């Protein structure tokens, strides 16, 4: 049976969006998602996102399969793309500018702004080792500037969960990082039992950070929304940046705020439709 899809990207982090509102389970298998994400023999994407019916009073549910078939809890760039996709699906029937989206990381609330950007309430960061999870410190302690040996070098790392796990390390020059080599060694390090997303951060100013990322299940990507959020939180925890900052990624910039009022993290950035097609 023919299936329509829409390709979106958020700062070059690209996704295949599927209208899955008629079923509570994804209409594709992880193996099928792998084939569709292949950039030579498929559509090409970092992941496939399914828009499913809402759960527990939410408007919709988000599920995502990475390009390797694994399923992450959440995706920051992906949920902005999903918000744009849902607005397109609803068309003239749309009567709201924000959605309550059920994800495996909890309820996320993207808001469509008048300038075309999408602002997402990403919720509270989780900071305890048991919440990441990682074995770098006891489960009830935070992981801030902890030494981690990877590839014969000791890195100072800070770990944050935005519903999915992140390991952040601050470096002098992100361009000097051999990401293809070092990224997989972080991802599969035994200190991270559920694997890890890894962000390498260069502080330009207290309100401006540069970031490169190795994503769990996807490898090098042009942007990672949850990673940008986790990196700002790590910067605040280590005294390296302000609570509001611009994060520059290879695909563009995101505006991130860790509110000192409600302690929630807010991400603002674009979601661009690329094309539609039929499988």
């Amino acid at each position: 049976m023919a299936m329509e899809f829409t390709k979106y990207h958020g700062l070059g982090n690209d996704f295949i969006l599927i209208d899955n509102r008629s079923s509570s389970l994804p209409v594709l298998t992880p193996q099928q998602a792998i084939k569709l994400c292949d950039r030579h023999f498929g559509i090409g994407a970092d992941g496939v996102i399914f828009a499913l019916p809402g759960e527990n009073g939410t408007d919709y549910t988000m599920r995502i399969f990475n390009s390797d078939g694994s399923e992450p809890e959440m995706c920051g760039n992906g949920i902005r793309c999903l918000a744009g996709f849902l607005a397109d699906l609803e068309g003239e029937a749309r009567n709201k500018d924000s959605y309550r989206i059920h994800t495996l990381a909890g309820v996320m609330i993207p808001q469509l702004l008048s300038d075309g950007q999408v602002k997402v309430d990403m919720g509270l960061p989780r900071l305890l080792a048991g919440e990441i999870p990682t074995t770098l410190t006891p489960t009830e302690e935070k992981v801030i500037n902890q030494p981690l040996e990877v590839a014969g070098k000791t890195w100072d790392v800070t770990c944050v969960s935005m519903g999915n796990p992140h390991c952040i390390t601050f470096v002098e020059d992100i361009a000097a990082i051999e990401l293809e080599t070092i990224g997989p060694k972080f991802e599969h390090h035994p200190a991270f039992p559920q694997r890890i997303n890894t962000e390498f951060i260069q502080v330009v100013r207290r309100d401006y950070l540069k970031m490169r990322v190795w994503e769990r299940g996807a490898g090098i990507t042009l942007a990672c929304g949850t990673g940008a959020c986790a990196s700002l939180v790590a910067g605040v925890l280590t005294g390296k940046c302000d609570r509001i900052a611009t994060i520059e990624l290879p695909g563009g910039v995101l505006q991130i705020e860790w509110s000192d009022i409600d302690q929630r993290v807010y991400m603002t950035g674009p979601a661009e439709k690329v094309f539609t097609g039929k499988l």
Side-chain angles (χ1 to χ4, degrees), residues 6-275:
T6 303
K7 178 81 175 285
Y8 270 82
H9 79 87
L11 301 182
N13 194 193
D14 56 344
F15 305 95
I16 300 162
L17 279 294
I18 303 290
D19 182 358
N20 208 130
R21 294 176 296 171
S22 62
S23 172
S24 60
L25 295 174
V27 294
L28 299 176
T29 66
Q31 291 73 29
Q32 289 172 317
I34 292 172
K35 292 181 179 179
L36 292 180
C37 288
D38 190 289
R39 297 190 184 278
H40 298 287
F41 299 100
I43 298 167
D46 292 321
V48 179
I49 295 175
F50 305 89
L52 295 90
E55 299 180 24
N56 301 321
T58 58
D59 298 309
Y60 297 98
T61 295
M62 173 183 178
R63 296 277 299 275
I64 177 171
F65 293 148
N66 284 325
S67 57
D68 72 347
S70 61
E71 182 171 8
E73 297 87 350
M74 230 290 288
C75 175
N77 290 315
I79 199 164
R80 295 200 317 276
C81 292
L82 177 60
F85 179 61
L86 292 172
D88 282 346
L89 290 179
E90 292 180 351
E92 294 183 358
R94 181 166 70 94
N95 59 9
K96 60 175 67 177
D97 292 324
S98 65
Y99 299 103
R100 288 175 53 82
I101 307 294
H102 176 81
T103 77
L104 296 180
V107 177
M108 304 293 165
I109 306 174
Q111 178 185 3
L112 299 160
L113 303 181
S114 59
D115 63 358
Q117 299 270 298
V118 181
K119 182 177 182 178
V120 186
D121 176 352
M122 299 289 286
L124 300 171
R126 303 166 196 177
L127 305 177
L128 303 182
E131 297 174 315
I132 307 299
T134 178
T135 60
L136 285 173
T137 64
T139 57
E140 295 302 314
E141 293 185 9
K142 297 176 182 178
V143 185
I144 302 174
N145 277 339
Q146 288 293 313
L148 176 68
E149 185 171 336
V150 179
K153 177 181 176 179
T154 299
W155 308 75
D156 289 333
V157 303
T158 299
C159 295
V160 176
S161 173
M162 293 302 306
N164 57 352
H166 294 271
C167 173
I168 300 97
T169 184
F170 292 87
V171 299
E172 290 296 320
D173 181 10
I174 58 171
I177 300 296
E178 297 180 356
L179 199 51
E180 290 186 357
T181 301
I182 199 71
K185 295 179 180 179
F186 270 91
E187 178 182 355
H188 297 282
H189 195 284
F192 306 111
Q194 295 182 16
R195 299 188 293 161
I196 200 78
N197 300 284
T198 307
E199 286 78 32
F200 299 88
I201 303 298
Q202 177 182 337
V203 179
V204 179
R205 300 189 307 268
R206 290 189 60 85
D207 64 348
Y208 198 100
L209 311 178
K210 289 185 177 182
M211 168 180 150
R212 292 178 69 198
V213 59
W214 178 272
E215 289 200 55
R216 179 186 61 166
I220 296 174
T221 60
L222 295 178
C224 176
T226 56
C229 294
S231 295
L232 179 118
V233 171
V236 173
L237 292 174
T238 56
K240 297 181 185 297
C241 76
D242 298 334
R243 297 184 77 99
I244 301 176
T246 298
I247 313 291
E248 178 186 329
L249 306 104
V253 298
L254 293 172
Q255 306 299 323
I256 309 296
E257 175 185 0
W258 186 15
S259 172
D260 58 2
I261 298 174
D262 60 14
Q263 301 301 310
R264 300 175 78 84
V265 180
Y266 296 89
M267 170 189 63
T268 303
E272 303 286 344
K273 182 192 291 187
V274 182
F275 60 84

